Amino acid sequence: PVHLLRNALPDARGDPPLTLTVIGVGNRLRGDDAAGLAVVELLRGKLPASVDLLEREGEPTSLIAAFDRGGTVWVVDAVSSGSAAGTVHRIDVTTGEVPARFFRTSTHHLGLGEAIELARAVGSFPDQLIVFGVEAAGFDLGHGLTPEVSRAVDQAATAILEEVLACTNTP
């Protein structure tokens, strides 16, 4: 028989290694919906090698599998809450539900909010989950981010970089 263990190998202090993951969610063919993927592209090469950078199109089982690794997870996705395009929202959903107003619409199979709550319900939830929502201007077919969202992508990437580096004690 095979037994799967989360964080099975302790580090030198006997503590399980801290898992840090950044997930960009989006669709490159739907305009501003690519915001999460653009954040991951900006972070590539700037984070410590121990931090996992993932890109997902929003398929719920792949998100839940990424959440199940434990540690701290940052998820970045385009949102449509009614705020001004380019607004960056930071929501810690570790202990509370994702506010429904942020994910009223989705170009994914299920919205990010539903995937998060499904992960919570089935016990596949990380120790901490932070969502960065980038307020989109539009999800029309086509390539490229609007100028407002492009600026917001830079802001979100900087904020995530600072948080990750604080977790790893890297200057």
Side-chain angles (χ1 to χ4, degrees), residues 19-25 36 39 43 63 66-67 70-77 79 88-99 102-103 112-113 116-117 120 125-134 156 159-164 167:
T19 303
L20 302 175
T21 307
V22 178
I23 305 170
V25 179
V39 168
L43 291 173
L63 286 170
F67 296 161
T72 300
V73 177
W74 291 265
V75 179
V76 190
D77 195 8
V79 299
V88 177
H89 307 276
R90 181 191 183 279
I91 310 157
D92 185 338
V93 298
T94 305
T95 59
E97 290 185 5
V98 178
F102 287 104
F103 299 99
L112 178 60
I116 289 170
E117 296 311 321
R120 191 186 318 270
F125 205 76
D127 301 321
Q128 184 174 26
L129 181 57
I130 308 296
V131 175
F132 276 82
V134 177
I160 293 170
L161 178 62
E162 290 172 0
E163 290 186 24
V164 170
C167 287

Side-chain angles (χ1 to χ4, degrees), residues 132-157:
F132 276 82
V134 177
E135 194 73 34
F139 298 97
D140 295 333
L141 287 175
H143 298 280
L145 302 173
T146 59
E148 301 91 348
V149 171
S150 184
R151 286 189 293 277
V153 162
D154 291 338
Q155 292 171 351

Side-chain angles (χ1 to χ4, degrees), residues 45-131:
K46 295 179 181 173
L47 296 174
S50 60
V51 178
D52 294 322
L53 278 172
L54 306 175
E55 294 183 3
R56 297 292 185 263
E57 290 187 4
E59 197 279 314
T61 57
S62 69
L63 286 170
I64 292 169
F67 296 161
D68 196 33
R69 301 160 79 190
T72 300
V73 177
W74 291 265
V75 179
V76 190
D77 195 8
V79 299
S80 177
S81 71
S83 296
T87 301
V88 177
H89 307 276
R90 181 191 183 279
I91 310 157
D92 185 338
V93 298
T94 305
T95 59
E97 290 185 5
V98 178
R101 71 181 177 96
F102 287 104
F103 299 99
R104 295 183 304 194
T105 60
S106 177
T107 62
H108 315 302
H109 305 286
L110 283 178
L112 178 60
E114 289 97 350
I116 289 170
E117 296 311 321
L118 181 58
R120 191 186 318 270
V122 299
S124 294
F125 205 76
D127 301 321
Q128 184 174 26
L129 181 57
I130 308 296
V131 175

